[in-house]
Each structure stands twice: as structure tokens, then as C-alpha cells.
Amino acid sequence: ARACIEAGVKRLIYTSTIDSYYAGGGAGRITERTPLDRNIDRRNSYARAKATIESLLVEMHRTDGLPVVIVRPGIVIGAGGNPFHWGVGKWASESVVQTWGDGNNMLPLVLVDDVAQAMVLAMETPGIEGRSYNLIDAPMLSARDYIAAVERLAGYHVDIHTTPIWKFYLDDLAKWPVKRLVGHPDGTRMPSYHDWESRTQKAEFDCTATREELGWTPISDPQKMVTQGVGGSLAAWLAARG
């Protein structure tokens, strides 16, 4: 960021994440105006790191005139991606997955091509320095829908284990003393139910501002989200299998 200021860079696009929001059952509706998780210190390292960087860049925009625009993609799927995305569930293998909760709520998915389109628009749209934009398409697929699409497109059965969030939390809590004992990096943070529950992604993401201010037009088509999103993510893996 400092190098960008010194070099006179026209605009810095920072790719953050929706994981820095609390997105559990009590989250309600999330827009670009929604503050990041107020309990971010109880969240996982990835969410905390992204939120910390956001705050530093926003402060540099305010004090030093850094021309930054922040984008926060949702669960990105499509060509080149990992079909066994942990935004969908905890995959033990290609054929075994634990869903975050019952797996019935719609996930904040977005096609990788649509993220690329939004980032280009974020570079080119005038007068948006200091703004942030969430990149999530309309709600179309649940975790169960996604897994069913993997089964159909890949031609094999996936063993689904619907797992209550409290079980993930208690398992994490049981491992925590051992992590502290051996000096594991994650041992410095006490496990948090708040953090685990956010993985359910039960929040309603409203990206109206992103669509209107950037002129962003994601696919918003359930069939294309399956064929291009899930199918695109599976393509390289299926080719490697022969």
C-alpha cells in the first residue's frame, strides 16, 4: 500500500472476504454498510487477518489518500477452483463431507468469472475510492444442492454427514489444551462457538449496491451455477482422474 502511494498508483484493489462478517443464524441481512464482525478477535485466523488488513487500508485511505477499493467475494466456484470447497462443508475426502449444520440454507456462492468481472469494474468505475463491495450472486444452491450436483456431474456417491455446529465447537475445544501444550499457532486463541456458527452462512447477503454502483451483472442462473460453477470446479479433477 505504501509502495502504491509512492508510485502514484491510480487504484489498489484489495481482495478481502465475506468471512470477516458474522454470518450465523442471528446475522440477518448483510450489505456493504454492515460492519465486519464486532467479535472478530474470537474468529479464525483467516477472518481476523483479512479484517485487520481492511482496517489498515481504510485508515491509509483516510490519512494518506490511498486510492483503495475493497472487494469481498463469497464462496467462489468455477474453472480452476477446488470442487471440494470448505465453504460448502468439511471434506474428509472427495466422497465424504460434513455439512456445517443441516446444509439446507442457501450459500453465498459466486462464479469465478463474475468475480473477475467485478474486479475489472472496480478498477474502471470512477469515484469509488474508499468504498467496499460484496461479491455474492443471488441465493441459488444450498450445501445439499451443491453436493448433489457433484454427485450427478462426477458420477459417484458422496457420503453426507449433517453435523451440528456444537459438535465442531466441542471437538475444537477438546483439542485446544493440546494445541497450547505443543505451541501450535492456533493454540493462542480459545475456540469460539461464534466462529464455528458463522460457517453455516445463514446470513442474507444483499449486493444491490455492488450491482448498481459497479454495473455488475453476475449470472444469477441456478443451472449455470451448477454447470459452470460446480462443473467448472470439477473439470480439472475429473480430467486428472482420466
Side-chain angles (χ1 to χ4, degrees):
R2 295 198 182 282
C4 287
I5 293 173
E6 292 170 4
V9 167
K10 181 180 177 181
R11 185 173 290 170
L12 170 64
I13 310 298
Y14 176 63
T15 308
S16 188
T17 176
I18 64 165
D19 196 33
S20 294
Y21 289 113
Y22 164 68
R29 180 170 164 268
I30 293 177
T31 73
E32 286 76 7
R33 294 181 178 273
T34 303
L36 299 184
D37 193 342
R38 292 183 174 88
N39 295 310
I40 196 69
D41 59 319
R42 300 298 309 279
R43 298 291 306 284
N44 62 79
S45 298
Y46 178 72
R48 297 200 327 267
K50 288 288 193 179
T52 299
I53 295 169
E54 278 201 39
S55 66
L56 290 170
L57 295 178
V58 169
E59 179 63 16
M60 289 180 72
H61 170 72
R62 187 183 68 82
T63 59
D64 303 318
L66 176 70
V68 65
V69 174
I70 296 168
V71 294
R72 303 186 192 100
I75 299 172
V76 184
I77 62 175
N82 181 359
F84 314 110
H85 200 303
W86 275 43
V88 175
K90 183 179 180 180
W91 295 82
S93 69
E94 302 90 7
S95 58
V96 180
V97 61
Q98 290 176 275
T99 55
W100 310 117
D102 61 23
N104 289 322
N105 56 285
M106 296 298 162
L107 295 176
L109 299 171
V110 62
L111 194 66
V112 63
D113 292 350
D114 289 335
V115 173
Q117 178 202 39
M119 293 181 74
V120 171
L121 292 168
M123 287 194 293
E124 298 177 344
T125 303
I128 60 170
E129 290 80 4
R131 299 295 302 274
S132 61
Y133 297 98
N134 297 333
L135 308 180
I136 298 103
D137 207 337
M140 287 178 271
L141 303 178
S142 67
R144 287 177 174 274
D145 295 332
Y146 182 99
I147 296 163
V150 169
E151 289 184 313
R152 185 168 67 256
L153 295 173
Y156 70 89
H157 174 69
V158 176
D159 191 8
I160 303 173
H161 298 270
T162 55
T163 309
I165 291 301
W166 61 264
K167 290 196 69 174
F168 288 112
Y169 168 64
L170 290 181
D171 287 346
D172 195 16
L173 194 62
K175 295 174 185 175
W176 181 57
V178 179
K179 290 180 179 179
R180 286 180 60 85
L181 184 65
V182 301
H184 189 282
D186 204 32
T188 59
R189 179 186 62 88
M190 185 176 180
S192 164
Y193 182 86
H194 176 85
D195 184 49
W196 281 104
E197 200 218 355
S198 193
R199 295 173 187 253
T200 62
Q201 298 292 346
K202 289 184 177 181
E204 174 195 352
F205 286 89
D206 182 345
C207 295
T208 301
T210 303
R211 291 172 180 260
E212 293 180 350
E213 294 180 21
L214 296 184
W216 186 49
T217 54
I219 55 168
S220 300
D221 182 308
Q223 187 57 42
K224 289 181 179 179
M225 188 62 80
V226 169
T227 56
Q228 297 179 34
V230 183
S233 295
L234 276 168
W237 182 80
L238 288 172
R241 289 182 74 195

